Amino acid sequence: MKRFLVVTVLFMVCSAFTTFNYYPIDGYARTGIKRLKRLELIKSGELKDGTKIPEGAMKSYMDISLNLTSRKSDSVASFLMVDEDFQAEISNLFKGLDRSYSIAILDISDPDSLRFAKRNETAGYQPGSVGKLAVLTGLFTQLAKIYPDDFEKRLELLRTKSVKAGVWGLTDEHTIPIYNIETQKLVKRQVIASDVFTLFEWADHMLSVSNNGAASIVWREVLLMQIFGDKYPALTQEEADAYFKTANRKELTDLGNDVVNLPLRDLGITKDEWRLGSFFTKGANTYVGDKDGSIGSPLGMMKFLIQLEQGNVVDESSSLEMKRLMYMTDRRIRYAQSPALQDAAVYFKSGSLYKCDRSKGEACGKYMGNVTNYMNSVIIVEHPDNCKYMVALMTNVLRKNSGTDHMNLATKIDKIVTRP
């Protein structure tokens, strides 16, 4: 009798260990994101809680600004000229390491005297949850189409339009924070089909805890905005659900792919530098399929960060609001966990994907894949002394948790950048 080798493969898409939060703490009145009210009460001392908020997380939303608007009309290429001395110092950090480490870094402390360095910056990686920034870009692109001349109406729609999760939000192991303002009780649990939140809150869940269900729901709404245009604000949940029941799956797949990828192409980011090919939950695949796969590169991510700081992602108001949504106001992980960044404001997105083959008899586990082990960090760092820089770090180091690698590299990079 023939014997067959059974290979057990573990495949996970992840982007966070536990809760970490974004958007300035004082943003509740502006956004209606309820968990921000809780952080505001903790900061003021009205609510006793063990949550320690880093010094760098105390910025008001009015204190956050874009760093490269003085060079708004400059080409992205003009920012990517290597500074040889800076390059030598960054290259030394990776001596002896294989090509599983790729990075692009830009010191923007002085917009008129930039320093850029890179390593394998065009290499493609599975971006994991960093791809949610493409969904965010798609969201603000569609808002601008609905209200081209009124940014306050875009904010109002984000703040007041409530939508239901449905199967699109299923399933994801990451929990979301649900805060009851009246009882001051916080519950953390997975998204369920009956959950209803505003667009702003779903976007926050997508970023603050990197919830995959929330990302698919936001992407769904971006798709509906493209389909219904200026009729979208009045679109009911029943009408939206009815539409998806009869829509052509291939047409939805193509359009769903376009609404998150074409805005990247408009920014001059090529398909091989960054693309998003699939929704983040199996529930979404009830209605839409996958297309072209997902890929990201440090160069593609850096092109995005540069144009965000220029105010050129959709428009200046949208770029600023997106940056606020990337602002970390709670526990920091991976690259952002570096002690060197404690007092710095950080605008951060992390993503990972790992795959294990148990038949190899090798050490393998969560964030320690032995087939693939992608971990990505995209960050803007702003120190109080006006030292500012941006990093896109992408790795595929097998059989080890690269979160520590990212944190240690962050400390070393910060020392180089901040050195007088």
Side-chain angles (χ1 to χ4, degrees):
M1 184 173 118
K2 292 182 180 179
R3 299 180 63 188
F4 292 88
L5 177 65
V6 179
V7 177
T8 301
V9 175
L10 174 66
F11 183 75
M12 296 291 292
V13 180
C14 305
S15 68
F17 301 135
T18 55
T19 299
F20 51 101
N21 296 305
Y22 295 72
Y23 207 97
I25 293 168
D26 64 344
Y28 170 68
R30 177 180 174 86
T31 65
I33 299 171
K34 296 181 185 67
R35 67 160 188 85
L36 296 177
K37 185 64 178 177
R38 175 176 171 270
L39 290 179
E40 193 176 308
L41 294 173
I42 292 171
K43 181 182 177 182
S44 69
E46 295 177 59
L47 181 64
K48 301 301 179 185
D49 186 273
T51 302
K52 179 175 174 54
I53 303 173
E55 189 63 33
M58 299 294 190
K59 276 194 173 188
S60 163
Y61 78 88
M62 291 300 293
D63 294 333
I64 294 173
S65 59
L66 302 176
N67 293 308
L68 297 175
T69 54
S70 63
R71 298 189 57 176
K72 188 178 181 68
S73 61
D74 290 1
S75 70
V76 172
S78 68
F79 292 85
L80 302 176
M81 307 297 290
V82 169
D83 180 291
E84 296 300 336
D85 292 337
F86 190 43
Q87 181 67 60
E89 290 191 277
I90 296 299
S91 294
N92 281 338
L93 298 179
F94 297 92
K95 277 188 175 178
L97 299 179
D98 61 31
R99 296 181 68 83
S100 296
Y101 295 80
S102 296
I103 193 170
I105 175 170
L106 181 65
D107 180 0
I108 57 173
S109 303
D110 180 355
D112 295 320
S113 183
L114 304 173
R115 294 191 297 166
F116 177 66
K118 60 186 181 178
R119 183 183 195 266
N120 302 331
E121 77 285 357
T122 61
Y125 294 76
Q126 163 55 248
S129 287
V130 169
K132 290 165 186 172
L133 293 175
V135 178
L136 186 67
T137 304
L139 174 63
F140 278 87
T141 298
Q142 293 299 325
L143 289 169
K145 289 182 179 180
I146 295 173
Y147 297 118
D149 303 314
D150 196 331
F151 188 76
E152 288 305 314
K153 282 191 175 181
R154 300 179 211 173
L155 291 181
E156 183 182 0
L157 184 61
L158 289 171
R159 192 168 49 242
T160 61
K161 177 80 170 178
S162 293
V163 297
K164 187 177 179 179
V167 298
W168 299 76
L170 308 176
T171 59
D172 181 23
E173 66 175 13
H174 295 127
T175 62
I176 57 173
I178 302 174
Y179 181 62
N180 187 310
I181 292 178
E182 294 178 357
T183 65
Q184 296 188 343
K185 298 295 183 183
L186 176 70
V187 175
K188 296 178 182 179
R189 62 159 173 77
Q190 294 171 303
V191 170
I192 58 177
S194 59
D195 278 337
V196 176
F197 294 103
T198 65
L199 294 178
F200 240 140
E201 288 187 297
W202 281 124
D204 181 63
H205 290 326
M206 173 177 74
L207 294 176
S208 70
V209 287
S210 206
N211 187 271
N212 291 333
S216 286
I217 292 159
V218 174
W219 192 343
R220 176 194 69 194
E221 296 306 305
V222 172
L223 180 55
L224 287 169
M225 288 178 186
Q226 173 63 29
I227 292 165
F228 288 93
D230 59 9
K231 295 181 176 61
Y232 171 82
L235 185 71
T236 67
Q237 189 68 56
E238 291 74 21
E239 289 170 335
D241 292 343
Y243 172 81
F244 284 119
K245 285 180 181 178
T246 59
N248 180 279
R249 180 182 171 84
K250 183 183 183 305
E251 290 177 0
L252 275 183
T253 298
D254 290 342
L255 191 58
N257 191 273
D258 284 347
V259 294
V260 294
N261 286 301
L262 293 184
L264 301 181
R265 305 299 158 259
D266 290 341
L267 294 172
I269 300 171
T270 69
K271 184 177 180 180
D272 291 333
E273 290 173 340
W274 189 10
R275 67 177 181 268
L276 196 54
S278 62
F279 275 70
F280 292 86
T281 52
K282 291 181 180 178
N285 292 139
T286 305
Y287 302 104
V288 293
D290 301 342
K291 181 179 178 180
D292 294 336
S294 298
I295 198 169
S297 68
L299 181 60
M301 302 300 168
M302 183 56 66
K303 285 183 175 182
F304 172 79
L305 292 178
I306 289 170
Q307 291 176 92
L308 188 75
E309 290 287 9
Q310 285 180 294
N312 289 335
V313 178
V314 185
D315 53 40
E316 196 164 321
S317 295
S318 298
S319 295
L320 181 56
E321 197 64 28
M322 291 172 68
K323 185 176 177 180
R324 287 177 177 137
L325 283 162
M326 292 174 66
Y327 182 50
M328 292 194 71
T329 50
D330 205 332
R331 183 176 181 269
R332 299 176 176 187
I333 66 167
R334 299 174 181 168
Y335 194 104
Q337 193 176 1
S338 168
L341 307 183
Q342 177 68 21
D343 295 335
V346 296
Y347 310 81
F348 181 67
K349 190 73 197 80
S350 180
S352 64
L353 183 147
Y354 63 89
K355 186 176 181 179
C356 286
D357 184 347
R358 302 293 189 187
S359 71
K360 294 185 176 183
E362 299 174 335
C364 190
K366 196 171 186 179
Y367 308 107
M368 296 174 59
N370 64 350
V371 178
T372 56
N373 196 45
Y374 297 110
M375 188 168 287
N376 312 306
S377 295
V378 175
I379 191 167
I380 301 167
V381 177
E382 296 176 350
H383 281 287
D385 64 357
N386 202 45
C387 177
K388 302 172 183 178
Y389 61 96
M390 307 188 293
V391 179
L393 173 64
M394 310 187 83
T395 60
N396 183 27
V397 183
L398 302 181
R399 296 178 292 278
K400 67 182 293 189
N401 190 328
S402 296
T404 303
D405 264 9
H406 282 227
M407 181 183 69
N408 291 335
L409 279 168
T411 301
K412 293 174 182 177
I413 288 169
D414 192 77
K415 185 176 181 180
I416 291 172
V417 178
T418 59
R419 184 183 300 131

